[in-house]
Amino acid sequence: MKIEDIIRAKGADVVTIAPGATVAELLELLARYNIGAVVVSEDGAAIAGIVSERDIVRHLASEGADVLGQPVSAIMTVEVKTCSDQDSLESTAHTMTYGRFRHLPVVKDGKLSAIISIGDVVKHRIDQLTDERNHLLEYLHT
């Protein structure tokens, strides 16, 4: 199984935000799309960073409500771990679990092409195990 299998099932839409947008605008975007992280990008192709709910909470705790007027670039993670659509599901799950990443941008030909979450990985694996179980049960009953 490869990451492209997850993308094929869920779609390749990626919500991005410009580095200069405010944290308040980021919150509106997260709520509108019901997502937990947004890729920071000027053009939707080059990755400048990633920002998640955790980043917002941590900065709210240390800086208070003033953080809402700050640019996203002030709270984003700059060193973004990415994966390829050709990476294996197993290695990506390992990277996400041990790196404690909940969201991983997918890069193809040097450009942002999708994003996956740990929930996407788990759902895909559960679906795969359910299919295998059903095939085995069918085999046993025929």
Side-chain angles (χ1 to χ4, degrees):
M1 283 283 139
K2 295 189 179 198
I3 295 305
E4 68 183 350
D5 298 318
I6 293 175
I7 296 167
R8 193 177 309 110
K10 75 168 263 183
D13 293 339
V14 183
V15 177
T16 63
I17 193 164
T22 66
V23 173
E25 292 170 315
L26 168 65
L27 287 171
E28 291 172 16
L29 202 60
L30 291 170
R32 181 179 336 134
Y33 291 99
N34 194 29
I35 54 177
V38 175
V39 175
V40 182
S41 175
E42 284 287 354
D43 60 5
I47 300 172
I50 191 166
V51 63
S52 70
E53 296 165 324
R54 283 183 178 179
D55 296 317
I56 298 165
V57 169
R58 287 181 181 131
H59 285 273
L60 275 171
S62 65
E63 301 167 38
D66 291 343
V67 75
L68 298 175
Q70 291 181 10
V72 170
S73 60
I75 70 165
M76 71 183 185
T77 300
V78 178
E79 291 184 29
V80 182
K81 180 73 175 167
T82 64
C83 67
S84 159
D85 64 344
Q86 295 303 304
D87 289 345
S88 74
L89 180 66
E90 292 77 16
S91 69
T92 303
H94 184 271
T95 297
M96 293 177 85
T97 301
Y98 290 98
R100 300 184 58 87
F101 307 122
R102 288 186 173 179
H103 300 86
L104 208 53
V106 181
V107 174
K108 186 173 185 174
D109 299 324
K111 295 180 181 176
L112 176 65
S113 67
I115 189 167
I116 60 167
S117 71
I118 194 69
D120 297 328
V121 172
V122 170
K123 179 189 179 306
H124 194 78
R125 185 66 179 132
I126 288 171
D127 290 348
Q128 183 184 29
L129 290 171
T130 300
D131 287 346
E132 289 174 12
R133 177 188 162 271
N134 291 340
H135 282 44
L136 287 171
L137 285 172
E138 184 179 313
Y139 175 77
L140 289 172
H141 290 110
T142 57

